[in-house]
Amino acid sequence: MPIFIKKKMPRYHPNCEEEIRKLMLLKNSDFHKALYESYCPLVYGQFSTFCRDHAKAYELTEKVFEIAKAELENNRLIKGKLLVWLLNIARKVSRDYLLDYSVKKSDDNRCIKRLVLSEGFSTQEAAGILGISMQEAIFSLRQQLKE
């Protein structure tokens, strides 16, 4: 269910933070549209750096704004700048996407050493991906590093 996806990307307005916060406090119906139009290019830019498929980047951008809308509907207080808040949501969405993408890769080349050193996963995350315990992951990593 797309909320605000447009074909043409809106432009970023750097001085809009105060106006958007006023709309948010007044619970104005235009708040979500203003938030999207102001911050969409920056959020989309986070995904376009690693996602070559523009449709997938738009889908991930849409997901960020859906999560933001859900958090606001649950009366979550936003501390700090709106851009930082949205980019933190984008970081979590991109991490989930990359974890899913990494798991979908062929399992032939998957080893703890590659996951931790090359792909940047923590030992705990790598253990979860490989379906082994944390102790087994640490032992296996030490063994592979000794080789």
Side-chain angles (χ1 to χ4, degrees):
M1 176 174 118
I3 52 174
F4 299 116
I5 295 299
K6 297 180 182 179
K7 293 192 182 225
K8 187 178 178 187
M9 183 69 67
R11 299 188 76 188
Y12 173 60
H13 307 287
N15 299 326
C16 62
E17 174 101 13
E18 291 177 20
E19 293 147 15
I20 294 175
R21 282 199 179 269
K22 285 178 188 175
L23 290 173
M24 181 178 67
L25 292 173
L26 295 172
K27 299 193 180 204
N28 190 315
S29 60
D30 292 335
F31 166 71
H32 295 292
K33 184 178 180 184
L35 184 70
Y36 176 84
E37 288 178 352
S38 299
Y39 295 107
C40 181
L42 297 171
V43 174
Y44 174 79
Q46 294 295 308
F47 298 118
S48 65
T49 57
F50 65 83
C51 191
R52 293 184 181 159
D53 181 16
H54 294 293
K56 188 64 177 176
Y58 273 115
E59 182 183 321
L60 294 171
T61 302
E62 178 183 324
K63 188 173 182 179
V64 168
F65 284 97
E66 287 174 356
I67 292 170
K69 185 176 182 179
E71 285 187 9
L72 290 169
E73 287 174 353
N74 291 331
N75 295 323
R76 183 178 179 271
L77 181 64
I78 301 171
K79 297 178 182 175
K81 295 210 175 259
L82 292 173
L83 177 60
V84 173
W85 172 64
L86 286 170
L87 291 178
N88 280 333
I89 296 172
R91 182 177 47 87
K92 292 172 188 172
V93 168
S94 62
R95 182 139 179 105
D96 291 343
Y97 169 74
L98 291 172
L99 280 170
D100 289 345
Y101 177 77
S102 180
V103 169
K104 289 177 185 172
K105 279 181 165 180
S106 76
D107 291 336
D108 299 338
N109 296 333
R110 310 294 280 179
C111 69
I112 188 81
K113 182 179 174 182
R114 181 167 183 220
L115 286 171
V116 173
L117 298 179
S118 300
E119 297 182 25
F121 291 103
S122 70
T123 309
Q124 185 175 8
E125 291 168 336
I129 290 170
L130 295 173
I132 59 177
S133 71
M134 183 69 167
Q135 292 171 335
E136 289 176 288
I138 292 171
F139 179 76
S140 176
L141 181 60
R142 286 181 180 165
Q143 291 298 323
Q144 290 180 15
L145 289 173
K146 286 180 183 178
E147 295 175 355

